[in-house]
């Protein structure tokens, strides 16, 4: 690792196909917005010779040039891949957005990678979202390391940041989270001593970057006590996780363990996911220290992170669900690849970022596309053959051609017009389907409508293409409210979606208040008479009917009963009365919301031998129902959702208090290992339209929830009066 002999690679040059899985490393960068992930990627590219200066690629742009929206918002909003080479090993670096709204991109990066590098700012520490992702990685045993950035910030404290990482991320085993290097500070100027190098704890050497290159030298006498204490703790941590059970006894017996053995055990511990080293990096945008820590990081990634053939492959079945033997990361095995990201390029068209798990993917071959389908999110199931286009490796805005992509590698595939994120690519002769990864559920509703007539024609296609690229989005055509609703993960996710609609697909939309699907029902029994009599020359209209309405239990719908005797209403007009009653119920009786859960009984009526008709009795039935509503109390019913809220223990009180303010009812709590509590509750949908945003704020990013429709129940009178008065979009409960 960084304590090995210093070596320098040649320039990365043009993209080349990897020849074996052992020469690949797939690493995902995780960290909150502003932690320095993208700057670190650019420093890695510069250190490997892939760029000439400050992240600039050969033909202009930077390695982080991916999306115009990212430039305008000054933050990453999508998963991006940069490939660099170091000492004959290709490293696929997956840079993920740090903002919680784009957790879908993060999950895709975790799926495509074999190890995770957590980027933590020395000025900001570990946030709740980073902690949650760490726990997810721990659950599946993904190898992890930590790199501390922003070492020169005014509030930076490397030692305190390491202590926080040990406490928050180390959990029950903080000695599995230890630094490999300590930052070396240069001469103090104006009360600030910038970081000028690193102290290698295993090698007990100084790696000085002050000249612009890494220069290795002996430590000064003043450094020795600091090295000794930290080195002893590091050695004990490595030995504690060693597979050699005799090593600890030998060490405690006074045997000096050589550095080579320690490095080998360290690499094994990292690869197995039981030891998590902390590194330091200061990839400043200018100056001689640019790239400080990047060489050490590359040595850790290439030496300690697992190769693709050491990482488990997701389970596979046939498209119809029949089990298949487990796959191995073999370039000569059956083809099994997965689309981890879908995007559109204005010149190339649709581009699919693909992780090859088994076999070898080649340009212009025909593959089978299998998809689980997410019909509730607007994604169709897939089971088709497609001819793939060119393979390439992305680098900034460039696409560097590849001749093939072997098992363990990642590549961009052009012209996969039917495949969407999460779909499996396999051989036509042996179609496979990979077990899906968990997609976050979009919980923020955004109602949209076309801005103008030209946009109406393009709206449907634009929205369909938008959700095809992003499986964390759900498109809903609500039949009750007649609204087009785009469900998103948060406000930033919404803003990016609307911007892409406008700039990428040429569709301008207006955001309108989201409407909840309300209902009406009778609170008590009532009687009504419908009389429809008109005479205007020739055949007139004559129909009279008398009905009673009584409430039924929730979920009963509309029940129609015929109790006419003596032929007061001719038999062939009774279905007409029922049709009129049901039509009026669908329109509502007071506030234009559907009427539900009532029994309507036809008791009596009158007919005319000439002027009675089907239309007349339909109108009479509707009038009778409306008269009943004017004589009885009618409840406005609102939908209630069941909530399951997972939150860190320290925020449970705030969450419960907030639920009470939303007319919510807590139905139970459950302690979850790892310092979390599961809160079960019920709350009206009127009150939780923005809960995806508000819970994140309440819990400092540690909370998440699911919602499921439970039932409709009567709305409080005050809120119901506001709705009936037409002020739905004005009251606090209606601003969803």
């Amino acid at each position: 690792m960084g304590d090995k002999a210093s070596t320098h690679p040649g320039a990365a040059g043009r993209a080349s196909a990897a020849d074996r899985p052992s020469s690949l490393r797939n690493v995902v960068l995780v960290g909150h917005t502003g932690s320095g992930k993208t700057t670190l990627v650019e420093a890695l590219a510069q250190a490997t010779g892939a760029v000439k200066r400050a992240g600039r690629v050969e033909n202009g742009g930077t390695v982080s040039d991916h999306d115009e929206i990212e430039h305008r918002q000054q933050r990453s909003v999508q998963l991006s891949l940069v490939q660099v080479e170091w000492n004959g090993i290709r490293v696929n670096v997956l840079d993920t957005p740090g903002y919680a709204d784009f957790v879908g991109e993060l999950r895709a990066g975790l799926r495509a990678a074999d190890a995770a590098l957590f980027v933590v700012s020395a000025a900001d520490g570990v946030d709740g979202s980073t902690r949650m992702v760490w726990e997810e990685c721990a659950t599946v045993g993904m190898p992890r390391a930590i790199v501390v950035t922003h070492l020169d910030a005014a509030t930076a404290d490397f030692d305190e940041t390491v202590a926080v990482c040990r406490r928050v991320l180390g959990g029950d085993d903080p000695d599995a989270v230890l630094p490999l290097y300590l930052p070396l500070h240069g001469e103090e100027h104006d009360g600030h001593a910038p970081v000028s190098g690193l102290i290698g704890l295993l090698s007990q050497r100084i790696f000085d970057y002050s000249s612009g290159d890494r220069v290795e030298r002996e430590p000064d006498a003043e450094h020795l006590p600091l090295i000794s204490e930290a080195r002893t703790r590091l050695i004990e941590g490595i030995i504690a996780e060693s597979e050699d059970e005799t090593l600890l006894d030998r060490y405690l017996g006074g045997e000096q363990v050589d550095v080579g053995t320690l490095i080998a055990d360290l690499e094994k511990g990292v690869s197995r996911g039981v030891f998590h080293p902390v590194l330091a990096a200061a990839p400043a945008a200018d100056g001689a220290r640019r790239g400080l820590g990047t060489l050490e990081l590359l040595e850790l990634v290439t030496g300690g992170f697992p190769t693709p053939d050491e990482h488990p492959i997701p389970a596979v079945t046939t498209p119809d669900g029949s089990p298949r033997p487990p796959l191995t990361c073999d370039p000569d095995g059956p083809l099994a690849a997965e689309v981890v990201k879908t995007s559109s390029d204005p010149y190339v068209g649709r581009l699919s970022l693909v992780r090859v798990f088994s076999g070898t993917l080649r340009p212009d071959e025909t593959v089978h596309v299998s998809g689980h389908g997410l019909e509730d999110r607007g994604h169709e199931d897939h089971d088709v053959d497609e001819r793939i286009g060119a393979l390439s490796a992305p680098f900034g805005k460039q696409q560097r051609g590849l001749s093939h992509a072997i098992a363990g590698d990642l590549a961009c595939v052009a012209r996969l017009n039917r495949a969407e994120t999460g779909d499996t690519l396999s051989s036509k002769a042996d179609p496979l389907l990979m077990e899906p990864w968990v997609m976050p559920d979009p919980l923020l509703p955004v109602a949209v409508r076309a801005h103008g007539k030209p946009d109406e024609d393009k709206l449907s296609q634009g929205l369909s293409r938008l959700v095809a690229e992003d499986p964390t989005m759900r498109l809903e055509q609500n039949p009750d409210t007649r609204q087009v609703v785009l469900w998103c993960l948060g406000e930033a996710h919404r803003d990016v979606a609307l911007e892409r609609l406008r700039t990428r697909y040429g569709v301008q939309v207006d955001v309108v208040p989201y409407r909840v699907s309300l209902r009406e029902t009778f609170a008590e029994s009532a009687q009504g008479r419908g009389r429809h009599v008109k005479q205007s020359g020739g055949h007139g209209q004559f129909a009279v009917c008398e009905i009673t309405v009584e409430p039924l239990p929730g979920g009963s719908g509309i029940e129609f009963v015929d109790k006419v005797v003596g032929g007061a209403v001719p038999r062939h007009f009774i279905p007409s009365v029922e049709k009129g009653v049901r039509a009026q119920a669908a329109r509502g009786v007071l506030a234009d919301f559907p009427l539900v859960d009532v029994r309507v009984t036809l008791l009596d009526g009158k007919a005319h031998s000439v002027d009675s008709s089907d239309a007349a009795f339909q109108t009479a039935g509707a009038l009778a129902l409306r008269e009943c509503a004017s004589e009885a109390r009618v409840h406005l019913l609102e939908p209630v959702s069941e909530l399951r809220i997972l939150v860190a223990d320290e925020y449970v009180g705030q969450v419960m208090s907030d639920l009470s303010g939303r007319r919510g009812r807590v139905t139970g709590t459950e302690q979850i290992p790892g310092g979390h509590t599961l809160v079960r509750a019920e709350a009206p949908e009127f009150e939780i339209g923005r809960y995806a945003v508000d819970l994140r704020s309440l819990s400092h990013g540690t909370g998440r929830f699911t919602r499921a429709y439970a039932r409709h129940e009567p709305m409080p009178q005050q809120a119901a009066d506001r709705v009936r008065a037409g002020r739905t979009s004005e009251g606090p409960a209606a601003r969803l």
Side-chain angles (χ1 to χ4, degrees):
M1 301 197 173
D3 290 338
K4 296 178 180 178
S6 177
T7 55
H8 295 271
R14 309 303 288 176
S16 60
D19 57 357
R20 61 190 185 282
S22 60
S23 64
L24 292 166
R25 302 293 186 275
N26 298 312
V27 184
V28 60
L29 301 189
V30 180
H32 63 77
T33 297
S35 61
K37 298 186 301 297
T38 301
T39 304
L40 183 61
V41 171
E42 294 183 350
L44 290 171
Q46 186 183 15
T48 57
V51 296
K52 304 301 182 185
R53 60 178 178 83
R56 308 301 297 184
V57 298
E58 294 172 358
N59 296 323
T62 71
V63 296
S64 58
D65 281 337
H66 300 290
D67 194 300
E68 294 299 326
I69 297 174
E70 293 183 325
H71 286 289
R72 286 193 291 274
Q73 298 198 3
Q74 294 295 302
R75 64 181 172 193
S76 297
V77 300
Q78 62 181 351
L79 175 71
S80 61
L81 169 66
V82 173
Q83 294 182 333
V84 299
E85 292 193 11
W86 175 256
N87 289 341
I89 294 178
R90 178 193 289 175
V91 182
N92 292 318
V93 184
L94 293 152
D95 186 10
T96 64
Y99 198 67
D101 277 14
F102 307 104
V103 66
E105 304 284 326
L106 170 61
R107 295 277 177 83
L110 292 172
R111 176 70 160 206
D114 303 311
L117 185 64
F118 282 74
V119 183
V120 177
S121 168
D124 302 322
V126 180
D127 71 336
S129 297
T130 302
R131 176 181 175 182
M132 290 174 63
V133 179
W134 181 277
E135 292 171 353
E136 286 186 28
C137 293
T139 300
V140 298
M142 175 173 276
R144 286 147 285 151
I146 301 165
V147 58
V148 179
T149 59
H150 297 164
L151 299 174
D152 283 337
T155 57
D157 189 329
F158 179 80
D159 293 337
E160 176 61 23
T161 302
V162 171
V164 170
C165 290
R166 284 166 51 79
R167 182 177 68 253
V168 175
L169 305 181
D172 296 333
D173 190 10
D175 286 337
V177 179
L178 292 169
L180 293 183
Y181 302 89
L182 301 178
L184 176 68
H185 293 270
E187 296 183 6
E188 185 173 322
H189 296 283
D190 299 326
H192 177 64
V195 177
S196 61
L198 299 172
I199 304 173
L201 296 180
L202 291 182
S203 65
Q204 302 182 83
R205 303 282 288 176
I206 299 294
F207 300 97
D208 193 337
Y209 281 81
S210 60
S211 65
D213 294 318
R214 185 172 77 164
V215 177
E216 186 177 338
R217 62 178 175 84
E218 292 287 340
D220 299 328
E222 63 192 68
H223 301 136
L224 295 180
L226 182 63
I227 292 175
S228 177
E229 179 181 353
R231 186 174 190 269
T232 298
R233 179 179 292 180
L234 174 62
I235 291 174
E236 291 175 350
I238 294 172
I239 290 175
E241 304 295 344
S242 173
E243 292 180 316
D244 184 352
E245 298 179 356
T246 68
L247 189 58
L248 179 60
D249 293 334
R250 287 155 43 202
Y251 175 74
L252 294 176
E255 180 179 330
Q256 293 295 319
V257 182
D258 67 89
V259 173
T261 300
L262 290 172
I263 291 176
D265 276 349
L266 169 64
E267 292 176 342
K268 290 178 182 177
V270 172
S271 180
R272 289 163 45 222
V274 297
F275 189 80
H276 317 294
V278 181
L279 296 89
D286 53 16
R289 294 176 300 104
R290 178 171 179 83
L292 185 150
T294 52
L295 300 184
E296 290 76 13
L297 180 57
L298 285 164
E299 288 168 355
L300 170 69
V301 168
T302 56
F305 280 179
T307 63
D309 49 12
E310 296 176 288
H311 192 70
I313 294 179
V316 295
T317 65
T318 61
D320 62 6
S322 301
R324 288 292 304 269
L327 296 176
T328 59
C329 186
D330 181 3
D332 297 322
L335 177 63
E338 188 171 40
V339 179
V340 295
K341 178 177 174 57
T342 309
S343 61
S344 294
D345 185 278
Y347 304 105
V348 181
R350 180 176 288 192
L351 282 174
S352 302
L353 179 59
V354 172
R355 163 73 191 256
V356 184
F357 287 96
S358 173
T360 300
L361 192 64
R362 293 182 172 84
D364 299 321
E365 69 177 341
T366 300
V367 298
H368 187 80
V369 179
S370 303
H372 295 271
L374 295 167
E375 292 185 5
D376 63 321
R377 301 190 188 186
H379 300 262
E380 63 178 356
D381 202 1
H382 292 144
D383 193 13
V384 298
D385 292 335
E386 266 201 281
R387 185 180 181 86
I388 67 174
L391 299 183
S392 60
F395 198 79
K397 290 184 177 179
Q398 301 180 20
Q399 292 291 331
R400 300 174 172 179
L402 293 173
S403 61
H404 61 276
I406 66 168
D409 207 354
L410 289 99
C412 281
V413 181
R415 300 198 302 273
L416 276 178
N417 296 321
R418 294 291 301 278
E420 298 181 2
T421 301
D423 285 354
T424 304
L425 310 181
S426 56
S427 167
K428 286 176 55 180
D430 187 17
L432 301 172
L433 182 62
M434 303 197 81
E435 181 182 53
W437 72 84
V438 177
M439 301 280 190
D441 193 15
L443 296 167
L444 179 69
V446 182
V448 298
R449 68 183 175 200
H451 179 71
K453 180 62 177 176
D455 301 302
E456 291 180 2
D457 300 331
K458 300 182 290 185
L459 180 60
S460 178
Q461 183 181 14
L463 288 172
S464 297
R465 294 174 67 182
L466 188 68
V467 298
E469 292 184 10
D470 188 351
T472 64
M473 228 171 251
R474 177 160 58 91
L475 182 62
E476 176 189 7
Q477 306 273 353
N478 193 307
D480 295 330
T481 64
R482 296 180 291 279
Q483 283 189 315
V484 177
V485 182
L486 196 62
W487 289 82
C488 304
L489 294 174
E491 291 175 317
H493 193 209
R494 173 202 63 193
D495 294 343
V496 168
L498 298 181
E499 181 73 0
R500 283 181 176 157
L501 268 179
R502 183 181 67 83
T503 59
R504 188 175 291 177
Y505 304 121
V507 183
Q508 185 78 31
V509 298
D510 297 325
V511 176
V512 297
Y514 170 71
R515 295 198 293 266
V516 170
S517 300
L518 300 178
R519 304 280 189 272
E520 296 175 340
T521 195
F522 278 73
E524 57 191 7
S525 299
Q527 281 190 307
R529 186 171 188 263
R531 184 175 184 272
H532 182 62
V533 179
K534 286 188 177 181
Q535 188 68 44
S536 57
H539 283 298
Q541 299 181 47
F542 185 94
V544 178
C545 63
E546 297 181 5
I547 64 171
T548 61
V549 178
E550 54 188 313
L552 293 177
S556 299
I558 301 293
E559 183 180 324
F560 185 83
V561 179
D562 169 24
K563 287 191 176 181
V564 174
V565 294
V569 177
R571 303 306 303 172
H572 59 283
F573 287 135
I574 290 176
S576 302
V577 176
E578 179 179 0
K579 188 175 181 180
V581 166
R582 291 189 180 276
Q584 185 64 54
R587 293 191 296 268
V589 292
L590 285 184
D592 297 329
F593 298 112
L595 179 71
V596 296
D597 304 334
V598 294
R599 177 185 291 120
V600 178
T601 303
L602 178 61
L603 299 175
D604 201 358
K606 293 181 181 180
H608 189 277
S609 59
V610 176
D611 293 340
S612 291
S613 65
D614 170 66
F617 271 101
Q618 285 190 46
T619 303
L623 290 172
L625 187 61
R626 288 163 60 181
E627 182 172 299
C628 289
S630 67
E631 300 296 329
R633 288 184 299 116
V634 177
H635 280 159
L636 201 59
L637 303 179
E638 62 180 341
V640 175
S641 290
E642 293 181 351
L643 305 179
R644 292 171 58 89
I645 309 162
L646 184 65
V647 65
D649 289 343
E650 56 262 40
Y651 302 115
V652 172
Q654 293 95 310
V655 168
M656 288 188 172
S657 176
D658 178 73
L659 284 170
S660 177
R662 297 174 186 271
R663 297 191 280 127
R665 299 181 294 272
V666 175
T667 58
T669 61
E670 179 183 341
Q671 288 298 122
I672 303 297
H676 290 83
T677 298
L678 178 65
V679 179
R680 297 185 182 87
E682 294 181 345
E685 288 190 16
F686 255 108
E687 305 287 353
I688 59 173
R690 284 180 47 85
Y691 198 56
V693 177
D694 297 337
L695 177 62
R696 187 180 302 155
S697 176
L698 277 172
S699 64
H700 294 257
T702 65
R704 53 191 174 190
F705 77 105
T706 61
R707 61 189 284 182
Y709 170 77
R711 62 189 174 278
H712 274 73
E713 64 180 34
M715 178 181 284
Q717 191 62 46
Q718 184 178 7
D721 289 343
R722 285 202 304 268
V723 172
R724 288 179 176 132
R727 297 195 297 269
T728 305
S729 61
E730 299 174 7
R735 290 199 295 267
L736 303 182

